[in-house]
Amino acid sequence: MTAAADRCVVHTFASSETSDDMPTASAVDTPQQDALTGCERIAGRVDGLLASRRPALWCDDCIADQLGLSHRRQANRVTVAMANTSTFWRTVGACSVCNKHKQVIRHV
């Protein structure tokens, strides 16, 4: 993960834990705002999916499929960062969608 993408995800979820509003691209003061905007957009979509399907466990593959992401890695970058917050729980278990036993995440 690039440092810019890492800052984006951590910044997004640090802010969303205290507020329902996602920060805008202008709230992030780095020179790579185009990349951060895309990262924030994916993070917001993953957050919305997991929150609306609570308490289901989702694997990165199923998140990527559901959101129409072109690469599973896009979902993985976001879910790894989400796991470092108190809003999400990531573990090894059965995905509620595909029933495969792998790394999964849920909104708490």
Side-chain angles (χ1 to χ4, degrees):
M1 178 185 303
T2 66
D6 186 39
R7 281 193 304 270
C8 168
V9 175
V10 171
H11 174 82
T12 299
F13 289 98
S15 297
S16 68
E17 286 182 1
T18 58
S19 170
D20 290 333
D21 297 327
M22 296 295 289
T24 62
S26 62
V28 181
D29 53 357
T30 67
Q32 299 176 342
Q33 288 185 351
D34 289 340
L36 295 177
T37 301
C39 178
E40 286 181 341
R41 185 173 41 250
I42 292 171
R45 292 176 63 204
V46 171
D47 183 15
L49 173 69
L50 296 175
S52 69
R53 304 297 197 320
R54 190 181 308 153
L57 297 168
W58 285 73
C59 69
D60 294 337
D61 290 313
C62 290
I63 291 170
D65 288 345
Q66 179 69 31
L67 297 179
L69 302 177
S70 55
H71 302 286
R72 174 202 159 282
R73 185 75 182 142
Q74 292 173 295
N76 179 261
R77 286 181 177 157
V78 171
T79 60
V80 166
M82 288 174 154
N84 294 320
T85 70
S86 60
T87 308
F88 298 92
W89 181 63
R90 187 169 166 95
T91 189
V92 174
C95 174
S96 299
V97 179
C98 68
N99 294 315
K100 292 181 182 174
H101 192 78
K102 53 168 83 178
Q103 195 70 268
V104 292
I105 190 167
R106 75 175 177 94
H107 198 288
V108 293

